[in-house]
Amino acid sequence: MFVTKTISEIRNIVNANKKTGKKIGFVPTMGYLHEGHCSLITKAREENDFVTVSIFVNPTQFGPNEDFAVYPKDFEKDKQLCLKAGTDLIFYPSIEELYPSTPFTHIDVEKLTNIMCGVFRPGHFRGVATIVCKLFNIIQPDRAYFGEKDAQQLAVIQRMVEDLNFPIDIVPVPTVRDKDGVAMSSRNSYLSRKERQAASVLIKSLVLAKKMIETGERTADAIHRAMKEFIDKEPMANLEYISITTKEGLQPIQKLSGYILIALAIKIGNTRLIDNMSFNIKLL
Ligand code: AMP
């Protein structure tokens, strides 16, 4: 496994592999890797001949009062996990390598970025779409892997790739959860033991929604109300939003039908946590 910090070197290595007909899989991350990230790398390994993982805490996707300065890092552990999951090349650039000067150009995936998490994190998805676009241009992979845990991010990237004709397949990967159902996240490391226990309110509220849907509930308002009441009972959790939308296009819905997404965000102390579940109503 190679590690490179420069754009010129990663371009050379990837190009040399492409020339021999190898398919390139790419997994963008912010590091502090866990089993969730590893499942993306494992899938990339299964489906491609050469797997590259980027580790970059992208400053432009953090708001001024967010956790950029304290975002957890452990490059040595990340390297071990990358190796174990089958990575060929880690791209580990500095901020200066990717942003040598203040950029004038940004990617705004309108309509998908001013809803849900975008309301609470203005500019976040612009930062995400722009860095992913840059990484796609640098690495030029055949396939790129994104976790369903970040459902809105996935929708934004899928739309960007469609709108801008990137010749890249976006592959969604299911959410990996801890034993108690809490979605794995680098940010879980911020939680105290009590806060970590309280974090299970996210998955429990989604399971409540699932049970309501399975027993015939089809009204978004009723599900929203029940989830909110449930979350409000957890004193450590502050609800930011619950959204019930179409899975594709993230359009709000009243009556549940077809493929739908239920997504939510809460804050526990200063830690912001998100989760979601999707359903094919026809199958229920
Ligand atoms: P991050 O390092 O948090 O930016 O995440 C990098 C990639 O890993 C994104 O595509 C995430 O959606 C994905 N990811 C993060 N946590 C999980 C998880 N628990 N299960 C599956 N994918 C995840």
Side-chain angles (χ1 to χ4, degrees):
M1 186 176 74
F2 289 103
V3 179
T4 176
K5 293 184 171 223
T6 68
I7 294 170
S8 60
E9 194 175 29
I10 193 166
R11 279 202 163 133
N12 285 340
I13 299 173
V14 170
N15 275 341
N17 279 280
K18 278 194 159 187
K19 277 200 184 120
T20 62
K22 289 188 175 166
K23 292 285 176 203
I24 313 294
F26 173 46
V27 181
T29 82
M30 296 206 299
Y32 210 69
L33 304 182
H34 50 66
E35 281 174 49
H37 299 107
C38 292
S39 75
L40 271 62
I41 303 171
T42 304
K43 190 144 170 73
R45 178 76 278 161
E46 284 163 13
E47 297 180 349
N48 301 276
D49 307 300
F50 189 83
V51 174
T52 174
V53 173
S54 64
I55 297 180
F56 180 63
V57 184
N58 173 42
T60 68
Q61 71 191 66
F62 288 80
N65 298 317
E66 294 186 353
D67 55 341
F68 173 66
V70 295
Y71 197 81
K73 291 182 181 65
D74 188 345
F75 186 61
E76 286 311 310
K77 185 174 168 218
D78 289 351
K79 265 204 299 202
Q80 296 310 317
L81 289 176
C82 279
L83 188 64
K84 210 169 127 198
T87 306
D88 295 301
L89 175 64
I90 298 178
F91 183 43
Y92 185 50
S94 64
I95 293 179
E96 295 71 31
E97 181 72 7
L98 285 183
Y99 300 107
S101 58
T102 305
F104 294 172
T105 311
H106 305 277
I107 305 286
D108 267 316
V109 185
E110 289 172 11
K111 307 239 189 293
L112 294 183
T113 54
N114 57 0
I115 54 172
M116 300 164 62
C117 288
V119 174
F120 297 88
R121 305 188 70 188
H124 168 67
F125 288 110
R126 179 166 118 151
V128 169
T130 305
I131 190 66
V132 171
C133 175
K134 282 164 71 73
L135 291 167
F136 281 0
N137 281 329
I138 292 165
I139 296 167
Q140 304 195 0
D142 296 285
R143 300 187 187 90
Y145 295 78
F146 289 85
E148 288 178 348
K149 176 183 165 257
D150 298 276
Q152 189 174 5
Q153 170 172 282
L154 175 62
V156 166
I157 299 303
Q158 282 170 326
R159 186 68 197 214
M160 176 185 83
V161 163
E162 191 185 318
D163 284 350
L164 299 182
N165 304 94
F166 279 92
I168 300 173
D169 283 342
I170 302 302
V171 184
V173 181
T175 303
V176 177
R177 299 177 179 281
D178 276 325
K179 277 202 194 90
D180 63 349
V182 173
M184 288 190 179
S185 164
S186 309
R187 290 192 167 98
N188 289 351
S189 65
Y190 297 146
L191 301 172
S192 70
R193 202 176 50 82
K194 281 203 163 151
E195 288 176 332
R196 176 62 187 70
Q197 275 167 6
S200 65
V201 74
L202 279 170
I203 182 64
K204 285 180 184 155
S205 72
L206 287 165
V207 170
L208 172 69
K210 181 169 186 273
K211 283 190 185 137
M212 290 177 77
I213 295 170
E214 282 170 354
T215 51
E217 183 60 65
R218 293 291 179 267
T219 312
D221 281 349
I223 294 169
H224 189 288
R225 213 176 310 118
M227 288 177 73
K228 180 172 170 7
E229 271 172 25
F230 183 82
I231 292 164
D232 286 346
K233 281 192 208 136
E234 169 50 65
M236 296 186 99
N238 286 309
L239 178 64
E240 281 195 347
Y241 73 84
I242 299 166
S243 90
I244 304 178
T245 63
T246 57
K247 190 168 179 194
E248 239 196 82
L250 308 180
Q251 292 300 307
I253 47 174
Q254 282 310 317
K255 284 274 169 250
L256 275 53
S257 71
Y259 287 92
I260 68 143
L261 176 78
I262 303 184
L264 74 162
I266 63 170
K267 272 188 110 169
I268 295 188
N270 286 327
T271 306
R272 192 170 182 280
L273 299 172
I274 58 173
D275 203 349
N276 69 81
M277 248 186 215
S278 58
F279 302 88
N280 181 358
I281 301 296
K282 277 192 203 114
L283 292 182
L284 296 167

